[in-house]
Amino acid sequence: MKAQATIAAALALAGSSVPADAGCRLGLALGLDISASIDAGEYRLQREGLARALLSPSVERLFFASGDYWVAIAVYEWSARRPERVLVDWTPARTRADLVRAADRIVTAPYGDTIYPTALGQALGFGSILLRRAPDCARQTLDISGDGRNNHSYPPRTAYREFPFDGVTVNGLAILGAEPDIVAYYRDEVLHGPGAFVEAADDFHDFEPAMRRKLERELGAPEIAMTLGHPRPDAGG
């Protein structure tokens, strides 16, 4: 079957992982939708919105709130083509300079074509493989943002059945406009793992603040602190 061949090809992309590092508290992979429903202006708003969200004071503070425990990030673009384009390969964000370099790569990388269908299952599968070669982090989170339902290749449920998602939380950023029920679709079909949530952007102009809110929730999640042996922010004593 074509879907099985596509899955096998994606698994072959796993490659070797980044060396383990006990200081990594979170491996965070972010997938951006560049399918045919995205025009050039919306494409730019996603790229620039993510870069600005990463460098916003509230998000930056949370990146470095745990002292020596750092966050590794990777960013890729997805549609229905193979392979997906990695804009930022795994980057340990130990200093603000690391975040600035990552944000610069996001906005300056060559732009791809937005002529392909919405292959949401493939996007999830690729994210799973990307996380397999991440640094050895205490937790792993995959973020998928987009404005439409899967309409090409295998669906999200197949990706969750065929790809390794043990220990991975998958959150969504649903962009309203193309499909009015996209938040419900992401909630029902995309979210995975304990504490998974969907953030909504009213449109592409709202992408940056929505991404900022989502990053704040992920980077400040109490369960991440508990994994590292820190007390919850609201714990007494």
Side-chain angles (χ1 to χ4, degrees):
M1 293 176 62
K2 183 180 293 186
Q4 291 174 327
T6 304
I7 290 168
L11 287 168
L13 295 174
S16 58
S17 63
V18 175
D21 192 324
C24 182
R25 65 185 175 97
L26 176 65
L28 178 62
L30 301 108
L32 302 177
D33 182 1
I34 60 164
S35 60
S37 61
I38 310 296
D39 65 29
E42 293 165 344
Y43 192 167
R44 177 181 55 80
L45 287 169
Q46 284 189 96
R47 287 261 199 112
E48 295 179 358
L50 173 56
R52 285 194 292 263
L54 286 171
L55 296 178
S56 64
S58 59
V59 170
E60 181 181 332
R61 182 170 58 253
L62 288 168
F63 260 100
F64 309 121
S66 297
D68 293 334
Y69 295 107
W70 44 272
V71 177
I73 61 172
V75 180
Y76 66 98
E77 295 177 334
W78 63 272
S79 55
R81 62 181 175 184
R82 282 291 179 186
E84 281 75 3
R85 284 171 18 108
V86 176
L87 303 182
V88 178
D89 211 343
W90 286 110
T91 298
R94 295 185 176 93
T95 68
R96 187 176 193 276
D98 295 328
L99 276 183
V100 170
R101 281 191 292 269
D104 182 66
R105 286 198 292 271
I106 291 167
V107 297
T108 60
Y111 279 54
D113 296 323
T114 58
I115 59 175
Y116 299 96
T118 304
L120 194 44
Q122 288 184 190
L124 290 166
F126 184 86
S128 167
I129 296 307
L130 189 62
L131 283 164
R132 286 183 66 185
R133 60 179 185 81
D136 187 8
C137 302
R139 294 180 65 85
Q140 292 189 329
T141 294
L142 172 61
D143 281 322
I144 297 292
S145 60
D147 70 343
R149 294 168 172 260
N150 184 81
N151 60 20
H152 179 83
S153 190
Y154 53 89
R157 69 177 69 91
T158 300
Y160 285 127
R161 185 175 65 245
E162 301 293 340
F163 287 86
F165 279 94
D166 290 347
V168 176
T169 296
V170 181
N171 298 325
L173 197 166
I175 306 165
L176 305 181
E179 297 188 31
D181 60 347
I182 191 62
V183 173
Y185 178 79
Y186 265 63
R187 185 179 298 116
D188 294 340
E189 302 293 333
V190 177
L191 301 192
H192 174 83
F197 67 92
V198 59
E199 185 67 57
D202 292 336
D203 53 29
F204 283 89
H205 291 280
D206 190 44
F207 184 86
E208 179 187 342
M211 176 61 73
R212 186 177 64 248
R213 293 192 301 270
K214 185 176 62 58
L215 288 170
E216 289 169 352
R217 289 183 65 176
E218 291 163 339
L219 295 168
E223 58 267 24
I224 295 176
M226 292 297 288
T227 300
L228 296 168
H230 298 310
R232 292 179 182 270
D234 58 351

